[in-house]
Amino acid sequence: KMSYKARSDKIEGVLQKMLDTFKTNLAEATKKEEDAQALYDKVTAAKGAELQAALDALTKMEKENGARGLSKEEAQEEVDALKKQVVDDTKYIKQVEDALATKKTEWKDRKELRAGELEAI
């Protein structure tokens, strides 16, 4: 049997290794966090500048009555055309869904028929 002192030295050694590992991991995690924070700050500053530039451009565009200079009537015509397109697209989607349901039913019937034929063979 080992003496009490020999056993406690081994335990202390394991605990010391664990402490060293924890300290190393903490230092690495702290460094990664600092790097991530620095990157975040840099990206935030860049995005803030982009936002300000976009807001300035929007303000300028509003002063010029829009980039395309649409009249009120032209804008309304475009809105009406887009609404009509949405309605037409909705109708088309409904037709496709109905056709899909029909095809599914036909496929189910055909599959049952084939299964019956296979059983007959």
Side-chain angles (χ1 to χ4, degrees), residues 27-117:
E28 289 173 0
T30 302
K31 175 71 172 130
K32 284 181 183 179
E33 181 64 26
E34 289 170 354
D35 292 343
Q37 184 64 41
L39 180 63
Y40 171 79
D41 292 339
K42 183 178 177 181
V43 170
T44 302
K47 290 297 179 182
E50 287 179 18
L51 176 62
Q52 188 58 45
L55 290 174
D56 292 343
L58 181 61
T59 302
K60 181 179 177 185
M61 193 168 64
E62 286 175 352
K63 289 179 182 175
E64 296 173 357
N65 194 20
R68 297 191 304 179
L70 295 176
S71 69
K72 185 175 180 181
E73 293 82 19
E74 291 172 329
Q76 188 59 46
E77 288 173 7
E78 187 175 344
V79 167
D80 292 341
L82 289 173
K83 286 181 180 179
K84 182 182 181 309
Q85 183 177 357
V86 167
V87 169
D88 292 343
D89 289 347
T90 305
K91 287 179 186 176
Y92 177 73
I93 289 171
K94 178 69 173 140
Q95 290 173 351
V96 170
E97 287 174 345
D98 291 343
L100 176 64
T102 303
K103 293 290 182 185
K104 281 184 177 180
T105 304
E106 290 173 0
W107 175 251
K108 182 180 175 187
D109 294 341
R110 187 179 315 147
K111 200 163 89 173
E112 289 174 0
L113 179 64
R114 295 284 181 220
E117 289 175 354

